[in-house]
Amino acid sequence: MPNLAELQQQFMQVLQGDNPTDFADAVVTQGRVSTLTRIDIYLNAYHLRLKESVEIDHEILGFYLGDELFDKMVTGYIAAFPSQQTSLRYFSEQLPIFLANTTPFSEHPVLAELARFERYLLTAFDASDAQAASAAMLSQIPAQDWPQLHFRLHPSVQRYQGDWNAVEIWQALKQKQTPPAASKLEQYWLIWRNVERLTEFSSLNICEKVMLEGMIKGLDYADLCEQLANDLPIEDVSKDSVQCLVNWLNLGIISKLSIDPEVLTLQT
């Protein structure tokens, strides 16, 4: 007779595709419903719960695919990436990879990008809390200390880079409008959760893109300006960089300012 841990493992194997007849002897017979039917009922309910989880996490992708293709995607995904964690929050994490590598979905790369964009939105929403720095704090830093100024981004901040117009498609569907046709379009987006705990996103201009990438690398303000000088007229670097900083501080995108990078490291 298997112990409890072995029974649980066998049951999980059934849920993930093993032959239920191998487990039927471990199930107590009750009423007029056969053991295999009862296992099948549970198995169907399990798959429906997984499908519901994908529907919730990727609502707009579901609209874009339509019911038939969405069902086909979910069935294939459940088989390829069985649930490995107790929380359904992470079940769809591999969906962009599945779509990028599984026909017929891989023939339309915008699908993987749509899924990836929705994953970033979820990650931003679920990120840990942190106090936001303010523009007033920036004004209190002496001018001679600005070159050594370091920044810590809010935990919710995500950087999304795409090669297709997935975000425009997502936005149109979210607004219940006809989406544009899929087309190649290199884009960079900033995603974050605002002070009201709502997820926002914004396209990045060249100044914002360079500054975001530099902050992620831990560059100080002097190095950020040096990087910007490669893409902007030198006379615009100071004005544009300060404007970007003030805007991000007002939006709650930056959580810490420090002239000592070790302070940010210790407080992470």
Side-chain angles (χ1 to χ4, degrees):
M1 178 70 179
N3 59 35
L4 178 59
E6 291 170 338
L7 284 172
Q8 290 173 329
Q9 182 60 37
Q10 290 173 12
F11 189 39
M12 181 56 65
Q13 289 171 348
V14 169
L15 294 178
Q16 294 179 349
D18 279 8
N19 190 337
T21 57
D22 297 335
F23 183 71
D25 290 342
V27 179
V28 176
T29 301
Q30 288 183 340
R32 291 178 294 179
V33 180
S34 71
T35 298
L36 289 177
T37 299
R38 291 169 60 211
I39 294 174
D40 194 50
I41 290 171
Y42 195 98
L43 180 59
N44 288 335
Y46 176 74
H47 284 178
L48 285 173
R49 185 66 186 92
L50 294 179
K51 178 185 176 183
E52 181 185 11
S53 171
V54 180
E55 287 177 333
I56 292 172
D57 287 354
H58 294 279
E59 178 185 26
I60 303 302
L61 175 64
F63 292 156
Y64 191 61
L65 285 170
D67 292 342
E68 184 176 342
L69 276 175
F70 184 79
D71 287 345
K72 182 174 182 178
M73 179 194 74
V74 172
T75 300
Y77 181 70
I78 292 173
F81 293 93
S83 180
Q84 300 294 322
Q85 302 191 44
T86 55
S87 173
L88 287 177
R89 164 63 182 84
Y90 305 101
F91 175 61
S92 301
E93 276 194 332
Q94 304 302 316
L95 188 58
I97 295 174
F98 173 80
L99 291 170
N101 294 283
T102 308
T103 56
F105 311 105
S106 57
E107 297 167 6
H108 307 278
V110 72
L111 296 175
E113 291 204 2
L114 265 172
R116 186 160 58 90
F117 179 67
E118 290 188 310
R119 298 309 306 169
Y120 277 57
L121 293 174
L122 287 166
T123 300
F125 182 79
D126 287 346
S128 59
D129 290 325
Q131 269 195 321
S134 68
M137 295 177 184
L138 188 65
S139 65
Q140 294 168 5
I141 297 173
Q144 66 269 22
D145 291 336
W146 272 60
Q148 292 79 44
L149 188 60
H150 285 78
F151 312 88
R152 187 201 296 170
L153 296 166
H154 190 273
S156 68
V157 169
Q158 305 291 313
R159 177 185 55 176
Y160 172 82
Q161 177 181 348
D163 297 319
W164 292 79
N165 60 334
V167 178
E168 283 77 7
I169 291 172
W170 189 95
Q171 288 175 305
L173 290 168
K174 186 70 173 178
Q175 296 167 7
K176 302 187 185 306
Q177 298 173 356
T178 301
S183 60
K184 294 279 284 185
L185 182 65
E186 185 178 44
Q187 292 182 310
Y188 299 88
W189 294 82
L190 173 66
I191 303 170
W192 74 100
R193 189 185 66 231
N194 65 26
V195 293
E196 297 177 349
R197 299 192 62 80
L198 298 174
T199 305
E200 295 192 60
F201 56 92
S202 175
S203 61
L204 295 171
N205 60 35
I206 186 61
C207 177
E208 294 166 335
K209 174 181 176 293
V210 171
M211 291 194 66
L212 181 62
E213 291 174 348
M215 288 182 184
I216 291 172
K217 293 176 182 176
L219 300 184
D220 61 23
Y221 182 65
D223 287 335
L224 290 176
C225 290
E226 185 176 340
Q227 294 291 315
L228 285 172
N230 296 324
D231 297 287
L232 299 177
I234 191 66
E235 62 270 18
D236 293 340
V237 168
S238 178
K239 170 179 66 69
D240 289 358
S241 62
V242 171
Q243 182 178 340
C244 178
L245 284 176
V246 171
N247 183 44
W248 284 357
L249 286 164
N250 288 333
L251 292 172
I253 289 168
I254 298 173
S255 64
K256 293 286 184 181
L257 303 169
S258 177
I259 59 172
D260 183 358
E262 290 190 8
V263 171
L264 299 183
T265 302
L266 290 172
Q267 293 178 350
T268 299

